Amino acid sequence: MDHMDQATPPLTEAIRSDWAEIDELPTLDLLRLMNAEDRTVPVAVAGELRRIATVVDATAQRMESGGRLVYAGAGTAGRLGVLDAAECPPTFGTEPCLVIGLIAGGPTAVNEAAEGAEDRPDLAEADLTALALTPADTVIGVSASGRTPYTVAAVRHARAAGALTVGFACNRHSALAEAAELVIEVEVGPEVLAGSTRLKAGTAQKLVLNLISTAVMIRLGRTYGNLMVDVRATNAKLRERARRIVAEATGADEVAVCRALAATDGRAKDAILLLLADVDAPTAARLLADSGGRLREALKRA
């Protein structure tokens, strides 16, 4: 049961009377006010880092066993989950089915508002049922208010299916928090534009989802130090990035780097192992496979 009566708006929906005349402010003063409020968001996120770390470690442990990371949300929260999921394959070389973003109303809701969909628990149940969840999966429900019916239902369904569930809200003591096993509560307070949770709440959601997905991928060995060694070189920019990554990791000259990347079909991680361990491409691929894709471990085995 939600601790907040549905007639009582959550803090993210509160109206600050001292901001009632922001439309009268000079543009620079308006921007200064918004920027000052934005600066409070990282501080609020910092207060939840221990809880976020627990989520990261629990998620990574499950993904080691073949689990998936699923975000579920509506509106801005849903779009940010879709965005974070979409950025994992090019950044970390993951398969699209490994990190999934669900938004109330389906993919068309990313570009077109589908506000009514957030009130439909049945849509969440259908979306989660289609994924055939297992106990190895992690489902993170994201909602500024913490009371969005679609998101709460998604977490309840996932928990009943045995998946690890996380409730991420920008208010405390919400229905979403009660529904989930693990909780992240980044309290950002009222928005400058009352109720527009694409502002501070959205910024908090973007920051936290960045933290979770990036840290999980680091824990899974999808990086080497701070280098994106699993980057997929699918265009000119990314091919150049892969070249720089291999050069930085190995200290090899440009000719050697290009030869290594050519031998490994552009896979930076394989090319680094080829150069540092002085092995051929098939051996590099085998060593990485035997090491669960962890480059540091593969180097020890070489």
Side-chain angles (χ1 to χ4, degrees):
M1 180 179 176
D2 194 337
H3 285 297
M4 295 180 293
D5 188 284
Q6 291 296 319
T8 304
L11 193 57
T12 47
E13 299 284 336
I15 300 173
R16 285 269 299 265
S17 59
D18 52 330
W19 292 340
E21 298 179 356
I22 61 170
D23 55 334
E24 302 279 356
L25 292 174
T27 300
L28 183 57
D29 289 344
L30 171 61
L31 297 179
R32 282 173 173 154
L33 169 61
M34 294 180 68
N35 182 245
E37 284 299 303
D38 285 342
R39 289 200 298 271
T40 68
V41 176
V43 177
V45 171
E48 290 291 285
L49 288 180
R50 287 188 180 276
R51 286 178 166 183
I52 295 170
T54 298
V55 170
V56 167
D57 289 338
T59 301
Q61 182 180 29
R62 284 163 175 76
M63 293 181 82
E64 288 269 28
S65 301
R68 298 163 294 177
L69 170 58
V70 181
Y71 300 126
T76 296
R79 292 184 187 98
L80 288 171
V82 170
L83 172 64
D84 197 75
E87 290 177 341
C88 285
T91 307
F92 301 109
T94 59
E95 293 301 318
C97 61
L98 192 64
V99 183
I100 301 166
L102 298 178
I103 180 170
T108 58
V110 173
N111 296 312
E112 300 176 15
E115 303 300 343
E118 72 174 57
D119 294 331
R120 304 246 331 249
D122 59 305
L123 294 181
E125 292 165 4
D127 288 345
L128 272 296
T129 298
L131 293 180
L133 294 172
T134 76
D137 295 323
T138 300
V139 175
I140 301 179
V142 187
S143 165
S145 67
R147 57 169 68 172
T148 306
Y150 175 92
T151 311
V152 175
V155 166
R156 286 176 176 159
H157 180 92
R159 190 166 184 176
L164 174 68
T165 54
V166 181
F168 171 22
C170 293
N171 288 283
R172 298 195 183 279
H173 312 304
S174 67
L176 183 58
E178 287 195 359
E181 294 167 74
L182 300 179
V183 178
I184 299 170
E185 296 173 315
V186 181
E187 196 171 41
V188 296
E191 301 285 5
V192 171
L193 184 62
S196 182
T197 52
R198 70 186 184 89
L199 299 177
K200 289 189 298 183
T203 299
Q205 290 161 356
K206 180 68 166 69
L207 290 175
V208 172
L209 297 189
N210 277 171
L211 288 173
I212 292 171
S213 60
T214 303
V216 165
M217 293 302 161
I218 290 172
R219 293 278 79 89
L220 293 176
R222 293 279 180 170
T223 66
Y224 180 62
N226 65 340
L227 300 177
M228 292 189 294
V229 291
D230 265 321
V231 65
R232 289 184 176 175
T234 54
N235 61 28
K237 179 190 74 173
L238 294 176
R239 285 191 290 272
E240 175 58 21
R241 181 178 294 166
R243 188 197 64 76
R244 291 197 306 270
I245 287 170
V246 176
E248 176 67 25
T250 65
D253 61 39
E254 186 171 354
V255 172
V257 167
C258 290
R259 284 176 178 168
L261 284 168
T264 58
D265 294 325
R267 295 189 296 273
K269 183 183 284 185
D270 295 57
I272 292 168
L273 184 56
L274 184 151
L275 289 168
L276 291 182
D278 193 22
V279 297
D280 59 19
T283 303
R286 178 180 57 77
L287 286 168
L288 284 167
D290 291 345
S291 304
R294 298 176 184 276
L295 181 52
R296 289 192 189 277
E297 179 63 26
L299 284 166
K300 294 175 183 176
R301 291 171 178 256

